[in-house]
Amino acid sequence: MYTAMPARQLGKSGLTVSAIGLGCMGMSFGYGAPADKQEMITLIRKAVEQGVNFFDTAEIYGPFTNEELVGEALAPFRNEVVIATKFGFKASPTDTSRWSMLDSRPEHIKAVAEASLKRLKIEAIDLFYQHRVDPEVPIEEVAGAVQDLIHAGKVKHFGLSEAGVQTIRRAHAVQPVAALQSEYSLWTRNPEAEILPTLEELGIGFVPFSPLGKGFLTGAMNANTEFESIDFRKILPRFTPEALKANQSLVDLLTKVATEKNATPAQIALAWLLAQRPWIVPIPGTTKLHRLTENNAAAFVTLNADELRSINEAADKIEIMGARYPEHIEKMTGR
């Protein structure tokens, strides 16, 4: 039995997706040891049953294993779902387990597309994002390479991730950008100043990743939370015990509103995002079925103008402690 979820259009691209998507990265990568593959296949298929038709992955997640997982899980539903994946990194020649090297050369983009198509078991990539802006390759060349793939029928839509306003404009002038994927939530509001007005002007959709603050906004962690050595939150300034303690007031705010609305803090965080623009589609990730169900139910939580104003006024008084990323990662964003 399938649940109907509200649909949203990503800008003027014509790409229509469920109001809430599913970020699949954490199933294979980033938040500790990979989850059990069979359990994750079941989870992804449960998401389809709950009305989700928008799934996010990337070759770097694993690397490669996440695309393979998503491809296998969604094979029975290929004509019903939208799969987004990404290019733009390459393995270090001296250590293939490290993928911090950027590479958006056109020939590399095309090679990545071919490999991703095989792993995902699909004939065309619905949405192909540049994962991070490569300062060595003009964005016009990147957009041109993706345009070639679109003309060849191997890609349907072009996306950018963590790009700045100038990059978005230059790319969009060559090949229309369907969506920008960047971090956005009640504790990461950087996109509001310049990014959102630019996307509105150009008719580009917005796909916030980490809409629940990498788990923090769910209320499931506190200053005593310990992360596994391979959990990348361990290196993030915002996840030190001091920062977690200082930022607890934001979770307290969400909890207060959630109690009044008979919802959960996570649902309020997602409903707040959905209320910002009609072309915003958050992609929370999870490895737990109860969290999947909780997140998807946020599509049916409505915050009225008074409630939104109250949340914003209270959030504006909270100073978030800790940078989003260490400096070397932050440098890859916002050009």
Side-chain angles (χ1 to χ4, degrees), residues 59 61 71 283 298:
E59 62 160 0
Y61 302 160
I283 49 166

Side-chain angles (χ1 to χ4, degrees), residues 266-288:
Q267 288 170 343
I268 298 302
L270 291 169
W272 178 86
L273 267 178
L274 290 169
Q276 301 310 303
R277 299 289 194 285
W279 35 265
I280 286 178
V281 178
I283 49 166
T286 186
T287 58
K288 300 178 178 71

Side-chain angles (χ1 to χ4, degrees), residues 10 14 22 74 123 128 162 228 234 245 311 320 332:
L10 288 171
L22 180 62
L74 293 176
E123 293 179 4
F128 204 29
E162 294 276 271
E228 289 182 51
K234 204 170 176 67
K245 184 177 181 181
I311 292 170
I320 303 299
M332 291 184 183

